[in-house]
Amino acid sequence: MHYLIGNLGHLFVIASLVTSVVCAFAYWKSFYSTNEIKTEEWKVNGRSTFYLHSFSVLGIVAVLFFIIHQHYFEYHYAYSHSSLHLPGQYMISCFWEGQEGSFLLWMFWQAVLGIILIRTQNTWEAPVMIVFALVQAFLASMILGVVIPGLDSKIGSSPFILLREALSDPIFKINPDFIPKDGHGLNPLLQNYWMVIHPPTLFLGFALTLPPFAFCIAGLWQKKYSEWIKPALPWALLGGAVLGLGILMGGYWAYETLSFGGYWNWDPVENAVYVPWLILIAAIHVMMSYKNSGTALKASIS
């Protein structure tokens, strides 16, 4: 049994949650400080803790991929999504097939975008990064997997839970250390090269919707009701392009492999991607309208 690697992964999850909360607090203090020296000190603390948060997220990614790649089937995530016979590229796809891996991919892209914002947005840094850190804390809670004593409920679902903790199979009562010889493997319909490139593109598009939202909240916060549009618009345009590309990839994949009989089937998964993209494109239009003619400011905010 390889307990150490799973415990390390769970430690990284806890660290990512704690550092994101501390980061939000540090930037909050920086934003409301009236002392210029203290403002800069708290801002440096916010940057440092976000870098630590990003390192923790990278640590979770590395540990989970190691578990999958090494075929540690005592872990429920590896058993459910990988097998000994999968080619190398599909071992990568196993990482984001499950819900926990998808949340982790989302966190990873937002950590990268947060670092870019820290290095490029000095004026807007504190209020924007407060929003970023809080969103990261929420996503970290989704993979925490901590049971609340006395309430019979759990916060999130951990990708590092053991198979015996996830399944109530009689074999584990006889032999708690039982390890299956092979896993279920990747769904045959998902064993396609689009599974390697489509989800990362899609989740990068989802992550790119956060900067415009963060700038909008920061603008309302500071009573800069129109100034936020200028720094937010390039991010919105990039997000619309990347998310649109992800949707095109998904449509072609459906046509080529999934036997939908067309590029679109209006199923819940497709709609969950398409509706945010439509809202983002509408937001881009009204933001550009305000930038060019000074109209539709309320529509841009809403």
Side-chain angles (χ1 to χ4, degrees), residues 239-262:
V242 173
L243 193 54
L245 177 62
I247 291 172
L248 289 175
M249 286 181 176
Y252 188 79
W253 181 13
Y255 181 80
E256 180 186 68
T257 306
L258 301 181
S259 303
F260 279 7

Side-chain angles (χ1 to χ4, degrees), residues 142-290:
M142 292 294 98
I143 58 171
L144 190 59
V146 172
V147 177
I148 302 175
L151 296 180
D152 195 27
S153 61
K154 187 170 66 171
I155 301 175
S157 176
S158 173
F160 304 111
I161 188 172
L162 293 170
L163 187 62
R164 69 187 183 200
E165 296 171 347
L167 301 179
S168 57
D169 196 288
I171 188 65
F172 295 113
K173 295 180 180 179
I174 302 171
N175 180 14
D177 294 330
F178 171 76
I179 301 175
K181 293 182 178 180
D182 202 355
H184 280 168
L186 195 65
N187 187 316
L189 289 176
L190 300 180
Q191 294 183 31
N192 184 279
Y193 63 92
W194 286 113
M195 183 60 181
V196 181
I197 59 176
H198 170 60
T201 305
L202 209 58
F203 278 96
L204 175 57
F206 285 147
L208 282 165
T209 63
L210 181 55
F213 173 76
F215 278 112
C216 179
I217 296 300
L220 294 174
W221 202 344
Q222 300 176 92
K223 297 184 179 180
K224 296 180 179 180
Y225 299 118
S226 59
E227 291 90 334
W228 65 272
I229 287 182
K230 183 178 179 180
L233 186 55
W235 289 101
L237 289 168
L238 181 60
V242 173
L243 193 54
L245 177 62
I247 291 172
L248 289 175
M249 286 181 176
Y252 188 79
W253 181 13
Y255 181 80
E256 180 186 68
T257 306
L258 301 181
S259 303
F260 279 7
Y263 293 97
W264 204 260
N265 199 42
W266 296 105
D267 67 24
V269 174
E270 292 176 325
N271 293 341
V273 176
Y274 186 53
V275 172
W277 181 78
L278 281 180
I279 294 172
L280 180 58
I281 294 303
I284 290 171
H285 277 80
V286 291
M287 289 166 70
M288 293 182 69
S289 175
Y290 178 77

Side-chain angles (χ1 to χ4, degrees), residues 34-257:
T34 55
N35 185 300
E36 189 174 335
I37 296 176
K38 288 290 184 181
T39 297
E40 191 58 33
E41 287 178 352
W42 279 112
K43 189 178 288 187
V44 170
N45 290 336
R47 291 170 186 164
S48 300
T49 49
F50 193 84
Y51 291 149
L52 286 173
H53 166 77
S54 302
F55 176 79
S56 299
V57 171
L58 190 60
I60 305 169
V61 171
V63 168
L64 184 57
F65 182 75
F66 184 81
I67 287 173
I68 293 171
H69 187 265
Q70 295 299 115
H71 308 298
Y72 290 166
F73 296 127
E74 63 264 43
Y75 289 96
H76 183 250
Y77 200 89
Y79 173 76
S80 300
H81 304 293
S82 69
S83 71
L84 296 171
H85 309 292
L86 282 176
Q89 68 269 28
Y90 299 144
M91 293 299 295
I92 299 173
S93 303
C94 292
F95 180 91
W96 45 71
E97 185 193 16
Q99 175 180 280
E100 298 88 349
S102 297
F103 278 127
L104 190 50
L105 181 59
W106 201 340
M107 285 178 66
F108 169 79
W109 281 129
Q110 289 186 168
V112 172
L113 296 178
I115 292 173
I116 293 172
L117 284 167
I118 286 174
R119 294 180 174 272
T120 59
Q121 297 292 333
N122 186 55
T123 304
W124 292 86
E125 180 183 345
V128 164
M129 291 309 298
I130 290 172
V131 178
F132 250 81
L134 290 176
V135 171
Q136 288 292 84
F138 174 77
L139 289 178
S141 72
M142 292 294 98
I143 58 171
L144 190 59
V146 172
V147 177
I148 302 175
L151 296 180
D152 195 27
S153 61
K154 187 170 66 171
I155 301 175
S157 176
S158 173
F160 304 111
I161 188 172
L162 293 170
L163 187 62
R164 69 187 183 200
E165 296 171 347
L167 301 179
S168 57
D169 196 288
I171 188 65
F172 295 113
K173 295 180 180 179
I174 302 171
N175 180 14
D177 294 330
F178 171 76
I179 301 175
K181 293 182 178 180
D182 202 355
H184 280 168
L186 195 65
N187 187 316
L189 289 176
L190 300 180
Q191 294 183 31
N192 184 279
Y193 63 92
W194 286 113
M195 183 60 181
V196 181
I197 59 176
H198 170 60
T201 305
L202 209 58
F203 278 96
L204 175 57
F206 285 147
L208 282 165
T209 63
L210 181 55
F213 173 76
F215 278 112
C216 179
I217 296 300
L220 294 174
W221 202 344
Q222 300 176 92
K223 297 184 179 180
K224 296 180 179 180
Y225 299 118
S226 59
E227 291 90 334
W228 65 272
I229 287 182
K230 183 178 179 180
L233 186 55
W235 289 101
L237 289 168
L238 181 60
V242 173
L243 193 54
L245 177 62
I247 291 172
L248 289 175
M249 286 181 176
Y252 188 79
W253 181 13
Y255 181 80
E256 180 186 68
T257 306

